Amino acid sequence: MTTDERRDRLRDLVKDRGFAALGELAEQLSVSESTIRRDLEMLEEAGLARRTHGGVYWTGESDTIGVFQSRNDDFWAAKQAIGRAAAELVSDHDTILLDGGSTVYELARLIVHRPLQVVTNSLPVAHLLSTSDSIDLVMIGGCVRGRTSVTIGPLADSQLATINVTTSFLSVAGVSPRGFFNSDMMLVESEKAMLASAERSIVLADHSKFGKTSLSRICELDEIDTVVTDDGLDSDAKAWLESSGVQLRLASTSSPPGTPKAAPTPNSSPTHSLNNANLT
């Protein structure tokens, strides 16, 4: 078996299993664990896998659940950087809510191995995190929007109204001095319910979203605690964001890929357990 053939086989094994132990992979491919580790570095750099203690999780595309073609996106590097910066705002054992945006999905890739409680309305995010033994996952029900594979509508909104999370992470189609926007009116209603369920709300958006509006407004600027974007943001957008009182966090697009360690944020709200939440 050539090196390329071995790496192709390794990729297929991890993809099929969702999670695979290093020892199992080494035995299956008849090579040492050090060789497997080197091969996995290439998968990780390609965004297809995430190594953890003793094994590796598949974080690439799925044959059964449609996920984002982020690697074909002109702003993929920015979205990766934003995902890394956002992961630093998550502490182990937090209860968080993730919506269905492509930038939020980049965050999900980075937390798959961490001990967290995650609520999501995104089928791709749920499919990804369901491979993890450390994630306590809650999937919001409702009508599935085929193009984005998210659940929205009255059922989703009513379920969101019964839960409480530490932090919600949302994606948007546009940000202007008038607030945050998305193009789907039903999705916006669900995002408003997400904001109401969270003690802290964080928007993840690359710099291309700023200075734009869309069909429906989610909320005003000062209703969001933190905006995480990339260092391509222009000075005008920085000025009106900061004047609104929003905490601005700029992610460096030159930072090397890698899994950030959890970093507790100052004055963060106490963690809540979904075991005590009133879920329908």
Side-chain angles (χ1 to χ4, degrees):
M1 187 183 299
T2 67
T3 299
D4 287 342
E5 289 172 341
R6 183 185 70 244
R7 288 173 176 170
D8 286 344
R9 177 61 179 150
L10 174 66
R11 182 194 60 216
D12 291 342
L13 286 171
V14 177
K15 181 177 181 180
D16 290 343
R17 297 178 185 182
F19 173 83
L22 294 183
E24 294 174 356
L25 293 171
E27 182 178 358
Q28 187 82 26
L29 297 173
S30 301
V31 294
S32 66
E33 289 192 18
S34 60
T35 298
I36 292 296
R37 289 190 184 95
R38 288 193 296 270
D39 290 347
L40 289 175
E41 285 179 4
M42 299 190 66
L43 282 183
E44 197 166 26
E45 289 173 1
L48 298 176
R50 180 66 57 195
R51 289 177 295 170
T52 186
H53 180 69
V56 58
Y57 289 100
W58 176 257
T59 59
E61 298 171 4
S62 163
D63 291 331
T64 57
I65 299 288
V67 297
F68 305 100
Q69 303 293 325
S70 297
R71 288 181 293 281
N72 299 323
D73 190 323
D74 291 339
F75 300 101
W76 180 48
K79 291 178 179 182
Q80 284 187 305
I82 294 167
R84 292 192 294 269
E88 295 175 356
L89 301 178
V90 179
S91 296
D92 286 352
H93 308 293
D94 271 354
T95 299
I96 64 174
L97 189 152
L98 304 180
D99 82 352
S102 57
T103 308
V104 175
Y105 188 82
E106 292 301 321
L107 165 61
R109 289 180 189 270
L110 298 174
I111 62 171
V112 68
H113 63 291
R114 292 177 56 183
L116 296 166
Q117 295 178 309
V118 180
V119 180
T120 186
N121 71 329
S122 166
L123 295 181
V125 168
H127 184 65
L128 169 66
L129 298 184
S130 67
T131 65
S132 172
D133 292 332
S134 64
I135 297 286
D136 180 7
L137 180 65
V138 174
M139 180 73 200
I140 298 297
C143 301
V144 177
R145 188 66 100 205
R147 183 173 59 87
T148 54
S149 294
V150 297
T151 56
I152 56 176
L155 181 60
D157 299 347
S158 64
Q159 187 173 1
L160 286 164
T162 64
I163 67 172
N164 183 56
V165 300
T166 307
T167 309
S168 63
F169 291 90
L170 305 181
S171 57
V172 297
V175 189
S176 83
R178 295 178 55 215
F180 300 91
F181 295 80
N182 251 326
S183 57
D184 187 316
M185 296 180 70
M186 288 182 67
L187 173 60
V188 165
E189 289 305 309
S190 292
E191 288 183 317
K192 289 178 179 178
M194 292 176 185
L195 294 179
S197 74
E199 297 175 5
R200 176 177 67 159
S201 296
I202 298 176
V203 165
L204 309 185
D206 67 74
H207 71 270
S208 70
K209 305 293 177 60
F210 289 81
K212 297 180 180 179
T213 62
S214 194
L215 179 64
S216 186
R217 187 170 69 170
I218 304 166
C219 64
E220 296 184 1
L221 293 178
D222 60 6
E223 295 180 66
I224 295 296
D225 298 283
T226 303
V227 169
V228 184
T229 186
D230 61 275
D231 50 12
L233 188 68
D234 64 43
S235 57
D236 287 343
K238 289 179 186 176
W240 46 257
L241 273 173
E242 291 171 347
S243 67
S244 72
V246 175
Q247 182 180 356
L248 181 61
R249 186 178 179 91
L250 295 179
S252 172
T253 54
S254 61
S255 298
T259 305
K261 294 181 179 180
T265 55
N267 301 318
S268 60
S269 302
T271 302
H272 290 264
S273 171
L274 285 178
N275 294 332
N276 298 322
N278 178 23
L279 296 175
T280 56

